[in-house]
Amino acid sequence: MFRVKYFEAIRTAAVIIIALVIAFLVISLVSDHPVKTIGIFLWEPLSTKGHIGNVIEMAIPLMFTGLAVSLLFRANMFNLGAEGIFYFSGVVTTVLAIHLSLNSWLHPLVAILAGSIVGALLSAIPGILKAKWNANELVTSLMFNNILFGVGLYLLNYHLRDAKAFANVSFKFEKTAQLSKLFTGTRIHTGLIIVLVLIVLAHLFLYRTKWGYELRMTGVNREFARYSGMKTAKVIIMVHLIAGFIAGMGGSVEVLGMYSRFQWTSLPGYGMDGALVAMLAKNNPLSVIVSALFLAYIRIGADMMARLSDVPSEMISIIQAVIILLISAEQFLKFWKNRMLLKEAKEA
Amino acid sequence: MANALLEMRGITKVYPNGVVANKDVEFSLREGEIHAIAGENGAGKSTLMKIMFGMESPSEGELYIRGEQVKLQSPQDAIDRGIGMVHQHFMLVPSFTVAENMVLGMEPRKGVGFNVGEAVRLTEATARKYNLAVNAKAKVEDLSVGMKQKVEILKALVRGAKILILDEPTAVLTPQETEELFRELQQLKEQGHTIVFISHKLKEVKAICDRITIMRGGRSEGVFETREVTEQEISRLMVGRDVVLKYDKSTIPHGKPVLTVDRLNVSDSQGKALLSEISFSVREGQIVGIAGVEGNGQTQLIEALTGGLRGVTGSGSVRVKGEEIRELDILDIRNLGVSYIPEDRMRQGSAGEASIADNLISTRYRQKDMNKGPFLHGSKIAALASALVEEFKVRCSGPQQPIGMLSGGNMQKVVVARECSTNPQLLIAEQPTRGVDIGAAQFIHQKLLELRSGNCATLLVSADLNEILELSDSLLVMYEGQIVAYFDHPSAVSEEELGLYMLGINRQDKEQTGRAVNHV
């Protein structure tokens, strides 16, 4: 079984390579200087301290949402509500960041916790609907995204908007609320530490505690979990609370770490990206770190490419589409796995 | 072989989850014979048949029909070449009539519409031709199991099958129905059909088959003329050792009642009675068996005992150690010392992608000694899992292997290990050895008897008459949601006698069945 064991990892690597090769082919067709453009795409994100900083900054929110979605997927809940919660928790945090006056230690703590708790409570609604009445969590969570975006935008327009600014943005946050930077010359903020701690905690929770065990068993076979005496409805509500808490914290941290005013007038997309991160990570908390960094790396690469060459950054959508398509295509490379199995069976 | 109608050479099949179902299997079929394929479950019989019927393609190996090499891409290919299959679980549309089922996929037309008259005529003509009486206009859902099987056979015949594959055809039949099936098969043979008969019941194989191919562990152990081998020889080849079909049961005094069911009535949402006036008890150190044709209320009875009764209309009481459990949830019931081996190990009994260890602790991970502070006690769980894997002789690469990669018998051993190792005071065993090979079944039976010696009360529900007669201290027969017979010496009852009660032809009076309460 040893080589078969690595099959999933090998398959993921093959998917990424194929996606990159397709990207290069498209670049070759579009660009006047394909070699130079590919060089920019691959190398620029790592070329300077500032650019590496950009990659990590972008990876932070992806890790938050990727972790939240991983836990939901683990429980076999196809819930994509991280998007709306990420946004709305950002709004909640904005209110506190503007109106509270506390010292620089307590202020972000209170603002982030408030955003996280609101996220958890909002997330529980599709959870309860699923657990009690078996309402499809994909449908309810997607509708919730729209509701939360609408309400959030209303708050921004009518209650938080700074009329003196020349754009649709909120008042400035209190200086005390903003997260401090970790490294000079980059915008990497303390949110990185928060998310890494959270990922380790989630790993321990999932694989080492009885609650994590209940979550995993419910995800693999809910009927079995129920039969064994687990209260699966509670488990489902619990995972929604936790995932909402993490996604909400992601939105709060992003707002306080990267901006001095709230300025999202459309959904930022991190929640949906979280689903992609979770898929690449095979729903493993620790792997979320790597897959979020990878996604951030190709995003920044595409941005650099758009700025420095003649290929637009929308290019990246092709890579993402190919990755999602091939990862979710279960039959992809199956023939190869079958051949490996046959070989191993003969040796045994 | 010149006279081989169908031949398979060097068939190897590996499933995507890594299970090697067939390994270099040779099989050859003569025209006009009844050929048995015998073997324990997980020996690869069903896989070999699926390959023969085009449902699975072999990883390696060749298939010849009348000397010509063929590749079957789908069951349609097999049907076109005159191969028909009767599956263990019937492939019929319950809400359609017999005639409609017969012509499914090859409907006779009248203009653009469906020609009902022609379908009925075709069905009746075929039924007459093969002397298999069916009512063409009856709905399939109203038919008995034996009738449904007849429809399945006719369905294959009407499609021109010359080779009929029957997958465990007697598993769901009563002894009387089985006899009838055998007469029909003999007839078909006389008319020139060739039959492949898959079974692990040796008596039946001896009774009806000309030749037998024995399989063990995915390999073929050889082909024999049936009259030249004894049952003992066959079973030795199947299991690799001699099988004792009798158990030495010590007589132990039965203690206090653990489970008491008193005048339990349950009806479905339309008000149809599913269980009526069920009363019985199970005492310490006693195995009470429940026999009956499937679908006569056993499922509902077990649901009632395992926490599925909340919110269902009904009356009566179900008490475990004196405590009423009708409104308790599953966890509370389990906490009273109730263990439950479910009928369906894939759907309820196990979590396929999870490891064997994870599957073993699902009912006890909450206990104090399994946890250390906020964390699960990893080393203790690992030790427990290894010990259970060893004690229950689960064939696997280790406790971390996903349970879904095990064969049916080994998977069932894991389920039994989990349920039997928590010191249960009441064990509810529902079809504990269904689809399990003889070796594993014997092992599981031994474990049930061990628990009995440890004073555990056991309720055994099974369709396997041999098992239930051999293990039970007292036996109840269920028919249409009622208890119709009670026996206090099951080993003295013959399978034929039991069959009459199971089919509802005989029933005992109230006084006799009432003895199930006090066992006197």
Side-chain angles (χ1 to χ4, degrees), chain A residues 51-62:
Chain A
H51 290 174
I52 295 177
N54 290 343
V55 171
I56 296 176
E57 288 151 32
M58 179 172 272
I60 293 171
L62 293 176

Side-chain angles (χ1 to χ4, degrees), chain B residues 130-236:
Chain B
Y130 295 105
N131 200 6
L132 292 166
V134 291
N135 177 0
K137 288 173 190 160
K139 277 199 177 170
V140 164
E141 59 195 353
D142 299 329
L143 299 183
S144 69
V145 180
M147 270 310 217
K148 282 185 195 154
Q149 192 168 55
K150 250 185 232 179
V151 177
E152 277 275 10
I153 294 174
L154 279 172
K155 219 173 101 188
L157 291 171
V158 85
R159 283 165 176 71
K162 297 306 269 176
I163 302 175
L164 260 185
I165 306 168
L166 297 152
D167 190 2
E168 308 257 1
T170 60
V172 287
L173 302 183
T174 59
Q176 286 83 353
E177 286 172 329
T178 303
E179 258 172 57
E180 197 181 333
L181 173 72
F182 284 0
R183 270 199 303 278
E184 292 158 8
L185 293 183
Q186 285 293 355
Q187 257 175 35
L188 287 173
K189 179 186 159 189
E190 280 153 25
Q191 290 175 353
H193 291 274
T194 310
I195 292 161
V196 182
F197 186 90
I198 307 173
S199 181
H200 54 225
K201 295 186 184 166
L202 305 185
K203 265 187 215 141
E204 297 175 355
V205 170
K206 280 292 280 181
I208 191 175
C209 298
D210 302 305
R211 287 201 304 161
I212 174 169
T213 295
I214 297 173
M215 295 195 64
R216 167 158 41 119
R219 295 172 190 275
S220 156
E221 292 287 310
V223 189
F224 305 89
E225 297 287 331
T226 313
R227 61 193 134 72
E228 287 168 13
V229 285
T230 65
E231 276 182 44
Q232 277 71 26
E233 279 169 318
I234 300 175
S235 75
R236 193 159 49 231

